[in-house]
Structure formats: structure tokens, C-alpha cells
Amino acid sequence: MTPARAPYAEIVVDLPVGQPLTYRADGEREGALVGACCVVQLGRRDTVGICVARSEATSLAEQKIRPVKRWLGEIPPLHEDWLAFTRFAAEYYQHPWGQVAVAALPPLLRTPPGPRWASTLKRHRAGAIDPVPEPVGPPVLNAEQQSAADAVSTSSGFAPLLLHGVTGSGKTEVYLTAIERLLAADPQAQALLLVPEIGLTPQLQSRLRARFAGQPMVCLHSALPSAERSAAWLAAHEGRARIVLGTRLAVFASLPRLRLLVVDEEHDPSYKAGDGVRYSARDLAVKRAQMLGIPVVLGSATPSLESWSLASQGRYRLLRLPRRATEAAQPNVELIDLRQHELANGLTEPLRAALEETVAKGEQALVFINRRGYAPVVACDACGWLSACPNCAVFAAFHKTDGALHCHHCGWRSRVPRACPTCNNQNLHAVGQGTQRLEETLTAVLPGARILRIDRDTTRRRGATDAALATVHAGDTDILVGTQMITKGHDFQRVSLVGIVNADVQLVSHDFRAPERLFSTVLQVAGRAGRSGLPSRVLVQTRYPEHPLFAALQRLDYEGFARSQLAERQAAGMPPYVPQALLTAQAKSLEAALAFLASARTVGRALHAQATLYDPVPMPLARLAQVFRAQMLIEAPRRSLLQAFLREWLARLRDGEPLPGPRVRWQIEVDPQEI
């Protein structure tokens, strides 16, 4: 006999609904199981949901319970491990379950099926996995790489491993060797490899396809067209894809036979979502591995201080790759004191001479400046007018290519005025350096050099980044100018010189994480030099050459820098020693945003919990797109206490307990990365 099915289904939907909604599951077709996707009516419209539980009884009045309109039996149900993982993520980051689980589905499954849905699904299944090229044999690992790969492959159960390898030490080969051994040992196992930037996926994807010829793999990231992303997700969900490569959203991929997780460049801030559910893909990867009882590898030349602290406590196993895989020497870091060397359009004479020498030798140079556009501001000397964005509390940058002012925050654009809007002075000038101006300067001082700029402005079109990088790898570029896009993971074989312009900006930042990020950025970009064995130099222009951070950089001493930073944070009561959350508010006026936070603080303090609620303050960027923003920091002695407080406090805020006033939108962020 077929067992009777429970008549009620608990469904989560992608809406701010605190609890699963109850629907009738009678008259169901095959596929009405826990984990099944379905279509339900909510109000006057249909929406997609996921069944997370079944029950025989309900306290709701029968006449108020609607039936499930359609079960999407064509899709295998989501595994209970995946449901438990998304539920944890929702609870930890203090969001409704459906806004995590349903939002993680591919575009094809997030909207109710239309008349061609079934044929579209069939087409996606057929085209998800590309043909693979001829296999490329694995390289010979050195002793440290072999030891690290063995540590990953022999780990049983949950095993968090922090792979600390200098730039060029061959961390990727350790990942690939571990994946290769896994797939050989288990014919159904799946591996997930996360990278921080979309720009890193094509080159790594090519490398994986060459290495794992015959092993089906897919790529998942937000820039994929809807059809490709849905096809890739289905291949992973149905177990057809053995390897999944993706950015942070791929941490939520449905992988029923996941046996290994890898997070490359684990320190990168891109793993933290900037809107919606503010999750950390790195932290969730560790939690997912823990829930599944599998190894997770976190790799970086400059690990996050959170991960380094856990490794120092013995909670993560530390694996070291202290030398480059090619036996090439690490680059020599030299400081150019801007108090002794004048700047000429952003360049000092020592850096200019080094660039000229490098080009003359037929080698390549990389010049890094983390600011796109021509100049960060246009100014009037007569009255002091500055090119401010009308929508945000920032300056609009000048982009010479289109002769316009651009706000890099809200997207506002305007032609540069012919004269000062305040005093009518026609002598306006661009102040400061951006990638465009640096490119122009280099073209002028090195007229014979082939110069290529890579930033968000030059790589907007699909495939533009790949084409630009191919030009560098082919040797058709002498000097590469770029932003953060060129600092991570790229294996430039002919780069022997790196110049770093405007490194001091982060030293004077309000953010306590700024030194960590500056150290990481400089060390990562320095690591692009000398990878093939060429003698290499890194020249850093700075007004603070005596700063301890630069002294550690010259020694390439990450461990010493990390120890000093962690000691400072422990003494100051900062993360990772004190867990934090950040409540932000947005309103039409700054006063309304601050008033809401003050009221929320009153509600929180009335709970008498072991949590500290600091005074509300404007955010560093207090006005964005004509909306005013304020923030309030919350701390607790332990993570469990913070979570317990947030659950009770946020429930009261969602019930509208703060005093009524102008409309305010608010958002909670657990473990904030920018304050």
C-alpha cells in the first residue's frame, strides 16, 4: 500500500515573511515532497515556494488554507542538507528563510512557469555542460605542495584547513590535486571551488577544463545570462556536474554529493554580500562543510585576520607554502619617499626611470592605482567649487574619455561645466589621479611603450576582460595600468616591475580594517611580479615610509603583521575578539534615520541583554542616491549572546515597536565588514 501523504505543506517564499506558510497538499501529483519546488497563490499573485515540512494537522481554519497550485515535479526535490544549510544562513544573518532559500534558486525556478517552461527546462538540461578539451597532465608538485595536498586528501569528517602560501606558491595546484584525488576515489562526488571575482572565473575555468577532461563541470556567477545560470544550477543540482566553479552566490548551489569545498583568496572582501542578505560566502562555506562533515580549504597569501586567529588557536589546521612553486625569488619591495621625490602627474622620477628600463629590456610592468576615471574631482581655484554629486555626499569623478563627471556610487553623470557654476571662472582643472590620467601620463613619458588599461570602464562588455588579459599574456603589452581587477590570481609571466601609486589613501581611513586591506592589496599586487623567475622589483610611492605596515611589507612578513594587528584589536576589543552587528537606516532626511535608530536603541536597552548598543551616527557616506543613511553598532561578549539578543530585538522592530515617524527602511548586518 502507498502510505498516506500528510495533507498540509509548509512553504517558504521569497518575501519578508517570518514563518513558513501553510498550504493544502491534497490532490497532489508526484513530487509533492519536502524540498520540492512549487507554485502557490499569495494574495492575488502566484509565486514560487519551497516545501520545507509536511504535517497532518494545523491550527489554522480550514477555509483559510489555500491549496498548492502546482508542484514542480520536473525538478528533483532539494536535499534536506541544503534546506538545513539555508535555514542556518537565514537564522544567523537574521532574515526570513524564504529570502535565502528561494532567492538562491536559478532564474528559471524563481518565477512561476509559463507555457514554454517544460521545453525551456529540457533545453537547459541538454546544454549545461560544454565539451571538454584534450587533457593536460598535472605538474610535479614540490614537497610543500605535496604535503598540503596530502593533508586535504587524507582529512576525514569536518576539517577546516587554512592554506597560507606566498604569491606564486602554487595554491591552485594544491586545490586541483585534492579535487583530482577526490573524483578518482568517489565516482559520484562533487567539489565546489569559490573565487572572489567574476574576472577570475574564465581563466580558472579553462584551466579546470584542461585538467579534468571528461569530468563535467559548470560555472556559476551573477554575470551569466539567465539561461546559462539556470542550466548550470540544474546540472549541479541533479549531480551531473562533478565540479562547480563560482563566485560567492555559488555557496548556495544545490550539490547533493558535495565532498570538498575550496575558497580561493579567502581574505577577499568580495565574499561579503553588499545588499539583501549580507552573508559571507567564506564563513558559510566553512559552516556548510561542518554540517556535511567534509573538508574545506581556505587559501590566501594574506589570510583574513579572522581566519588567521582561528588557525593560531588550533581551530583551523594551518598548511604553509613558504616558497614559489617555480623557485623564483620573491620581489624586492622598495619605498619611494614622496617627501624627497616630487610627483609629476602622479609619477616620481625613480618610478618613471624604472618603467623606462623595464620596457627597454622587453619585460612588462604593472602600475596599480585603486581609482578609476581621469581625476577624482574637478575644482575651481577662484572660489573653491568642487564637482560634488547632487545625489550623494561624494565628489563626482572626471572621466576624460567622454568629457563627463561620473558618480561611482549612484551612477549620476553630467557634462563638465564650461565655467564654474558658482563664480563663472572658466579655469577649472582636474585634481588628483585616476587610471585614465595615469594612462595618459605614461603614454606621454614613454611614447614608444604599449600601454593597456584594465578597469571597470574598459571591461564593461562581456569578454572584454578576457581579451585584455590575453593581450598581456601574449606579450603585446609593455605596461598594464589597472585597479583591484589586476591584483588577484593572475599569472603574468613577464611582469618584472610593479609600481604602486597612491597607497597612502587607506592609511588614513576611518575603518579599523584599512591596514589589513592595504597590506593585503600591496602584497597581492606585488605578487604579480617575477613569477617566471625574472628579477623583480616593487616600487611603492608613499609619504609615510617609516610606517610599520610598510616595514612589514618590505620583509614580506605577513605573520608578523598579523600578530601585531591581532594584538591591537584584542586590546581595543574589536573583531575577531568581539562579535558585532550593524543596524543601518535609510530615510529622506538624516534626522529621521537617526531618530529611528535612537528609538530602536531604546527598545534594545529595555531588553536588559548582555549587548552594547552604541550611539547612532551618520554613515561614512551619509547620503547616497538622495537617501540619507545612518548606522548603529551592536556588540556582545559572545556570538551566542549577540544572536539571542538580535532575535528578540529584531522581532520587536519588525512589529513596529519604535516610535512612529517618517518612513524609514532598515537593514541588519551580522559581522559587518565596513563601519
Short mmCIF file of all heavy atoms in Angstrom, two decimals, residues 90 94 153 172 240 253 260 283 318 356 462 493 510 524 582 585 642:
data_model
loop_
_atom_site.label_atom_id
_atom_site.label_comp_id
_atom_site.label_asym_id
_atom_site.label_seq_id
_atom_site.Cartn_x
_atom_site.Cartn_y
_atom_site.Cartn_z
N ALA A 90 19.82 31.80 7.09
CA ALA A 90 18.75 32.76 7.35
C ALA A 90 18.72 33.15 8.83
O ALA A 90 18.59 34.33 9.17
CB ALA A 90 17.41 32.17 6.94
N GLN A 94 19.82 36.71 10.28
CA GLN A 94 18.60 37.37 10.75
C GLN A 94 17.68 37.81 9.61
O GLN A 94 17.21 38.95 9.54
CB GLN A 94 18.96 38.57 11.64
CG GLN A 94 19.82 38.24 12.84
CD GLN A 94 19.07 37.38 13.88
OE1 GLN A 94 17.86 37.49 14.02
NE2 GLN A 94 19.81 36.55 14.59
N SER A 153 43.57 15.58 1.22
CA SER A 153 43.02 14.30 0.74
C SER A 153 42.81 13.28 1.85
O SER A 153 41.93 12.42 1.76
CB SER A 153 43.94 13.71 -0.33
OG SER A 153 44.07 14.59 -1.41
N THR A 172 46.78 26.96 -6.27
CA THR A 172 45.76 26.39 -7.17
C THR A 172 46.07 24.93 -7.48
O THR A 172 45.15 24.10 -7.56
CB THR A 172 45.69 27.21 -8.46
OG1 THR A 172 45.39 28.57 -8.14
CG2 THR A 172 44.59 26.68 -9.37
N ARG A 240 24.90 15.99 -12.18
CA ARG A 240 25.60 15.75 -13.45
C ARG A 240 26.94 16.49 -13.48
O ARG A 240 27.88 16.04 -14.13
CB ARG A 240 24.72 16.19 -14.61
CG ARG A 240 23.50 15.29 -14.81
CD ARG A 240 22.63 15.74 -15.97
NE ARG A 240 21.83 16.92 -15.64
CZ ARG A 240 21.94 18.09 -16.25
NH1 ARG A 240 22.83 18.26 -17.21
NH2 ARG A 240 21.17 19.10 -15.91
N ALA A 253 24.71 26.87 -4.05
CA ALA A 253 24.36 25.90 -5.09
C ALA A 253 23.91 24.59 -4.45
O ALA A 253 24.45 24.16 -3.43
CB ALA A 253 25.56 25.66 -6.00
N LEU A 260 33.89 18.23 -1.13
CA LEU A 260 35.05 19.09 -0.89
C LEU A 260 34.69 20.53 -1.25
O LEU A 260 34.10 20.78 -2.30
CB LEU A 260 36.26 18.65 -1.73
CG LEU A 260 37.51 19.54 -1.65
CD1 LEU A 260 38.09 19.54 -0.23
CD2 LEU A 260 38.56 19.09 -2.66
N ASP A 283 32.48 32.39 5.29
CA ASP A 283 32.02 31.84 6.56
C ASP A 283 30.95 30.77 6.35
O ASP A 283 30.93 29.75 7.05
CB ASP A 283 31.47 32.96 7.44
CG ASP A 283 32.55 33.97 7.83
OD1 ASP A 283 33.74 33.67 7.62
OD2 ASP A 283 32.19 35.05 8.33
N LEU A 318 46.69 24.75 9.92
CA LEU A 318 47.48 25.66 9.09
C LEU A 318 48.43 24.87 8.21
O LEU A 318 49.24 24.08 8.69
CB LEU A 318 48.26 26.64 9.97
CG LEU A 318 49.12 27.68 9.24
CD1 LEU A 318 48.24 28.57 8.36
CD2 LEU A 318 49.90 28.52 10.24
N GLU A 356 60.87 52.88 -17.64
CA GLU A 356 61.62 53.02 -18.89
C GLU A 356 62.62 51.88 -19.06
O GLU A 356 62.75 51.28 -20.14
CB GLU A 356 62.34 54.37 -18.89
CG GLU A 356 62.93 54.76 -20.23
CD GLU A 356 63.48 56.18 -20.19
OE1 GLU A 356 64.35 56.44 -19.33
OE2 GLU A 356 63.03 57.02 -20.99
N ARG A 462 30.90 42.06 -22.27
CA ARG A 462 31.20 40.68 -21.96
C ARG A 462 32.40 40.21 -22.78
O ARG A 462 32.47 40.43 -23.99
CB ARG A 462 29.98 39.79 -22.27
CG ARG A 462 30.15 38.37 -21.72
CD ARG A 462 28.93 37.54 -22.01
NE ARG A 462 29.07 36.22 -21.43
CZ ARG A 462 28.26 35.19 -21.71
NH1 ARG A 462 27.27 35.35 -22.55
NH2 ARG A 462 28.45 34.02 -21.13
N GLN A 493 53.52 36.15 -16.63
CA GLN A 493 54.85 35.53 -16.66
C GLN A 493 55.98 36.52 -16.94
O GLN A 493 57.12 36.28 -16.55
CB GLN A 493 54.87 34.42 -17.72
CG GLN A 493 54.06 33.20 -17.33
CD GLN A 493 54.67 32.47 -16.13
OE1 GLN A 493 55.81 32.03 -16.18
NE2 GLN A 493 53.90 32.36 -15.05
N HIS A 510 39.03 55.78 8.13
CA HIS A 510 38.35 55.65 9.43
C HIS A 510 38.14 54.19 9.81
O HIS A 510 37.89 53.88 10.97
CB HIS A 510 36.97 56.33 9.34
CG HIS A 510 36.06 55.65 8.34
ND1 HIS A 510 36.10 55.94 7.00
CD2 HIS A 510 35.13 54.68 8.49
CE1 HIS A 510 35.22 55.18 6.36
NE2 HIS A 510 34.63 54.41 7.24
N GLN A 524 49.40 41.42 -2.56
CA GLN A 524 48.81 40.69 -3.68
C GLN A 524 49.29 41.24 -5.01
O GLN A 524 49.64 40.48 -5.92
CB GLN A 524 47.28 40.76 -3.60
CG GLN A 524 46.65 39.99 -2.45
CD GLN A 524 46.65 38.49 -2.68
OE1 GLN A 524 46.75 38.03 -3.81
NE2 GLN A 524 46.52 37.73 -1.60
N LEU A 582 25.48 45.45 12.81
CA LEU A 582 25.28 46.85 12.44
C LEU A 582 23.86 47.04 11.96
O LEU A 582 23.41 46.34 11.03
CB LEU A 582 26.27 47.24 11.34
CG LEU A 582 26.39 48.74 11.03
CD1 LEU A 582 27.09 49.45 12.19
CD2 LEU A 582 27.16 48.95 9.73
N ALA A 585 19.92 52.52 8.80
CA ALA A 585 18.60 53.09 8.49
C ALA A 585 18.74 54.06 7.33
O ALA A 585 19.73 54.80 7.24
CB ALA A 585 18.02 53.80 9.71
N LEU A 642 24.95 37.57 21.25
CA LEU A 642 24.56 38.53 20.22
C LEU A 642 23.39 37.99 19.41
O LEU A 642 22.42 38.70 19.14
CB LEU A 642 25.75 38.82 19.31
CG LEU A 642 25.49 39.79 18.15
CD1 LEU A 642 25.11 41.17 18.67
CD2 LEU A 642 26.71 39.88 17.23
#
